[in-house]
Amino acid sequence: MKKITIAIDGHSSCGKSTMAKDLAREVGYVYVDTGAMYRSVTLYALRKGLFNDDGSVREAELQAEMPNIRISFKFNAETGRPDTYLNDECVEQEIRSLEVSNHVSPVAAIAFVRAAMVAQQQQMGKDKGVVMDGRDIGTTVFPDAELKIFVTASAQVRAQRRFDELKAKGMPADFDDILKNVEERDYIDSHREVSPLRKADDAIELDNSHMTIAEQKQWLLERFKERTA
């Protein structure tokens, strides 16, 4: 069976990462969570105090720090999934906080940040046999990917999923704050100048608002089999 590149794009909190992780594990591919990469840069910027009081980024200072930001993924035998590492420190929990969620979109919109992350992502996927999810994988990172999926769901459904996820992890969560964050991120992601969120012309759209994880998994596996047959 030939190896292909799989790009899963879509709005925030659509379950893209869960779908991508499950598919990668099922078919023996490498999984790369590109959203976690931008969250890691955001966490680094927060720790370094690189945000102004109005939430804007001190871009010159962040650009000077970019050579010091190394992101990698290591398989976690307990969860059966990869964890995100920032400069060899596991930050899988920290990058999922609402504080990071509230700051990640302006960071991800910066051209030099995207250029650095895209270069790392393309290096990770150069040998195919890879599943990546994010906002611009099918349009910018791997425009020639053999299988492109664009995932969407209503903002209310996505906010509820994020709320449930945070509560399950014992982290503080307020539904209204999360919904506001989801809607703001949608706007920023879709209107940024560099690699705005959009469905690639050859992508298959999946609205998973009313689908279970098992149903999504089966749907995606069927698309994979069609493209690799």
Side-chain angles (χ1 to χ4, degrees):
M1 185 182 290
K2 66 177 181 179
K3 283 192 173 183
I4 65 172
T5 299
I6 303 168
I8 302 181
D9 291 317
H11 295 96
S12 67
S13 303
C14 268
K16 299 185 302 297
S17 296
T18 299
M19 291 177 67
K21 289 173 185 174
D22 286 347
L23 179 65
R25 184 170 51 183
E26 183 85 14
V27 303
Y29 276 25
V30 175
Y31 165 71
V32 178
D33 182 351
T34 61
M37 297 175 73
Y38 291 103
R39 285 176 171 273
S40 297
V41 176
T42 304
L43 178 63
Y44 185 95
L46 284 165
R47 288 176 171 181
K48 290 286 185 178
L50 302 183
F51 287 92
N52 296 309
D53 291 340
D54 63 358
S56 60
V57 186
R58 297 177 185 169
E59 294 192 19
E61 295 174 50
L62 178 57
Q63 187 166 19
E65 292 284 347
M66 289 305 295
N68 302 322
I69 300 176
R70 302 182 311 280
I71 300 162
S72 58
F73 297 91
K74 297 179 184 178
F75 186 74
N76 183 326
E78 289 186 11
T79 63
R81 293 176 171 176
D83 286 336
T84 310
Y85 282 74
L86 171 61
N87 296 334
D88 297 322
E89 174 197 353
C90 182
V91 293
E92 188 64 34
Q93 292 293 330
E94 290 91 333
I95 62 173
R96 308 298 173 184
S97 69
L98 189 57
E99 183 183 24
V100 170
S101 294
N102 284 333
H103 288 85
V104 66
S105 285
V107 171
I110 299 171
F112 64 78
V113 173
R114 298 205 72 82
M117 295 300 101
V118 167
Q120 288 192 36
Q121 292 154 17
Q122 290 174 332
Q123 182 64 28
M124 292 175 187
K126 61 182 174 55
D127 296 323
K128 294 189 179 290
V130 68
V131 184
M132 285 198 191
D133 72 277
R135 305 286 196 281
D136 62 349
I137 312 305
T139 53
T140 301
V141 184
F142 291 115
D144 297 324
E146 291 88 346
L147 176 58
K148 300 178 185 178
I149 308 294
F150 188 88
V151 191
T152 188
S154 72
Q156 291 276 348
V157 166
R158 289 183 283 135
Q160 187 65 49
R161 287 174 180 168
R162 175 69 66 171
F163 177 83
D164 292 342
E165 178 186 3
L166 290 173
K167 294 296 283 186
K169 292 178 178 177
M171 300 172 73
D174 179 275
F175 178 82
D176 291 335
D177 287 346
I178 294 170
L179 178 60
K180 182 171 179 282
N181 172 254
V182 166
E183 292 171 341
E184 287 176 348
R185 289 179 66 190
D186 282 354
Y187 183 85
I188 294 173
D189 291 343
S190 300
H191 290 80
R192 65 181 178 225
E193 291 185 17
V194 183
S195 299
L197 170 66
R198 67 175 180 83
K199 176 177 173 285
D201 294 337
D202 54 348
I204 305 169
E205 184 166 328
L206 172 66
D207 186 331
N208 66 8
S209 296
H210 306 292
M211 294 175 73
T212 65
I213 290 177
E215 288 170 341
Q216 296 171 54
K217 184 177 179 179
Q218 182 60 35
W219 183 92
L220 187 55
L221 190 58
E222 289 171 1
R223 305 290 85 73
F224 170 79
K225 289 177 178 177
E226 289 170 2
R227 293 299 165 92
T228 55

